[in-house]
Amino acid sequence: MSGLIPYLLFPGNAAEAFAHYQGIFGGELQLFDYAELGRHDGPADAIGHGMLRGVVELAGADAGADDDAVQMGGMFFSLLGTADAGTLTRWFDALAAEGRVISPLTTRPWGDVDGSLVDRYGIRWLIGYHPEE
């Protein structure tokens, strides 16, 4: 059994977004279009369901005609301590590409390193680690 898995509704670019996240996090990607799922509330080639399984797990689809696409405010997806420092730093840099860094990776007064960003798809991330001694 896994933990919390975010389910994101994209504004028509789910296939692109999932490929991007797989390129960063690795893992196994499954995508099903509206036609395969018998959905008629959007284009047949829109993603009706997608799942990235691996160290970081995400699920989602292209928003249907009556759905709002994801909008994030007042929250972050936290990847604190989910991998080693080098991996987390690479993830931070890759997610920040074509996005916006809110706070760069910085050593905090309590000794941990963390930073936050909004990626090119509008998803907010908090990434950090405790430095090894």
Side-chain angles (χ1 to χ4, degrees), residues 11-118:
N13 58 354
E16 173 191 317
F18 274 113
H20 177 70
Y21 294 133
Q22 183 184 35
I24 293 170
F25 302 122
E28 180 185 334
L29 178 61
Q30 291 184 303
L31 297 175
F32 302 93
D33 63 29
Y34 275 37
E36 289 174 288
L37 300 176
R39 288 183 63 175
H40 303 287
D41 57 329
D45 63 345
I47 299 302
H49 177 69
M51 183 76 192
L52 178 62
R53 294 186 187 276
V55 174
V56 174
E57 294 194 338
L58 299 170
D62 284 316
D66 294 326
D67 297 324
D68 291 327
V70 68
Q71 299 173 40
M72 292 185 73
M75 64 180 286
F76 291 93
F77 289 166
S78 173
L79 296 178
L80 297 172
T82 57
D84 62 82
T87 299
L88 287 162
T89 300
R90 284 191 303 278
W91 289 353
F92 186 93
D93 292 341
L95 288 166
E98 297 182 45
R100 178 175 58 87
V101 173
I102 297 168
S103 173
L105 288 173
T106 303
T107 302
R108 303 299 176 183
W110 53 90
D112 290 345
V113 174
D114 69 41
S116 56
L117 62 96
V118 179

